[in-house]
Amino acid sequence: LVPAIPLEPNARSAWVGTRPAIEAKLRQVAVELRWRSAGHLFVIAATAIAALFFLVLPLWREDARDFLWCGSFLLTLMFLRPITVAPWMLEGLPAPLVLAWFLGFAAMAIFFWEKLFRLLLGVRLSVWGRLCQQGGMLILGALCVLSPFLATSIGPRFTISLLLVTAIFIAVYVDLARQSARVDETPWMHLAVTLFQG
């Protein structure tokens, strides 16, 4: 009997067979995974191009801080996307380091998210909204610093962190949106944010 060798990246599966046969199958699975990620790579590249466009635009336009914050937010999304849709791009990195990567860029994304919609909606966060944002960013920052020293199994912590990040995104936007005066663009903005959060 040959001991079962866990199949990565899907640790829930195990194959039984000779080591050369399993290693060949693993290589085939890795290639297939990369081909399936082609669409995600296109989105990552498009996000990078859009981010650079918005970041460069303020050089030719005065009072274009909204473009600056939008470009910064898109840039953080570009660095977050491989973790959720193309984890093979980060293979070789220790799991706690990947979690620290996610937490750090998520905290930056929340910061840029608030700056962007504060300008677009023309309002500021309320006291409770500011507490949610800054408290959440503080927690994410602390976890980012501590994650390399935690155990290598990050599944539950990643899920909890993802839920926390999503909750902060929603809390910040809802707090800003409820204070803003209704304008023609507001429904489209609500729809775009809902799709993004979904």
Side-chain angles (χ1 to χ4, degrees):
L1 293 178
V2 179
I5 301 175
L7 170 63
E8 296 292 339
N10 183 5
R12 292 173 298 180
S13 301
W15 292 353
V16 177
T18 62
R19 180 171 293 275
I22 293 179
E23 290 175 348
K25 186 62 179 177
L26 287 174
R27 287 191 293 271
Q28 179 186 344
V29 169
V31 171
E32 292 174 354
L33 179 63
R34 283 157 176 73
W35 274 110
R36 288 199 301 270
S37 300
H40 298 306
L41 293 177
F42 173 79
V43 173
I44 292 172
T47 304
I49 293 170
L52 291 175
F53 171 77
F54 284 117
L55 288 173
V56 172
L57 199 59
L59 297 177
W60 288 276
R61 289 190 54 176
E62 295 182 0
D63 193 26
R65 287 182 301 165
D66 50 346
F67 293 106
L68 178 64
W69 296 128
C70 183
S72 301
F73 178 66
L74 289 174
L75 200 61
T76 57
L77 289 187
M78 182 196 72
F79 285 105
L80 282 172
R81 192 166 180 84
I83 298 174
T84 54
V85 299
W88 59 267
M89 295 179 68
L90 303 174
E91 65 183 355
L93 293 178
L97 188 58
V98 173
L99 180 60
W101 175 302
F102 170 76
L103 294 168
F105 280 108
M108 287 192 290
I110 290 169
F111 175 78
F112 295 134
W113 172 267
E114 185 268 335
K115 294 290 186 183
L116 173 62
F117 283 104
R118 188 178 73 178
L119 278 175
L120 292 178
L121 296 173
V123 294
R124 293 179 178 272
L125 283 173
S126 65
V127 174
W128 79 268
R130 182 67 62 189
L131 286 174
C132 285
Q133 183 211 24
Q134 293 184 349
M137 289 176 60
L138 185 63
I139 293 172
L140 293 174
L143 291 174
C144 176
V145 173
L146 293 174
S147 59
F149 305 101
L150 301 176
T152 55
S153 177
I154 65 167
R157 282 193 294 277
F158 181 81
T159 302
I160 294 171
S161 301
L162 189 59
L163 292 174
L164 175 62
V165 169
T166 304
I168 298 170
F169 270 124
I170 294 172
V172 167
Y173 182 78
V174 168
D175 184 56
L176 291 172
R178 72 182 180 85
Q179 301 178 69
S180 64
R182 181 180 176 86
V183 293
D184 292 341
E185 293 83 3
T186 304
W188 295 105
M189 203 177 298
H190 294 339
L191 177 61
V193 171
T194 301
L195 290 174
F196 170 73
Q197 291 299 331

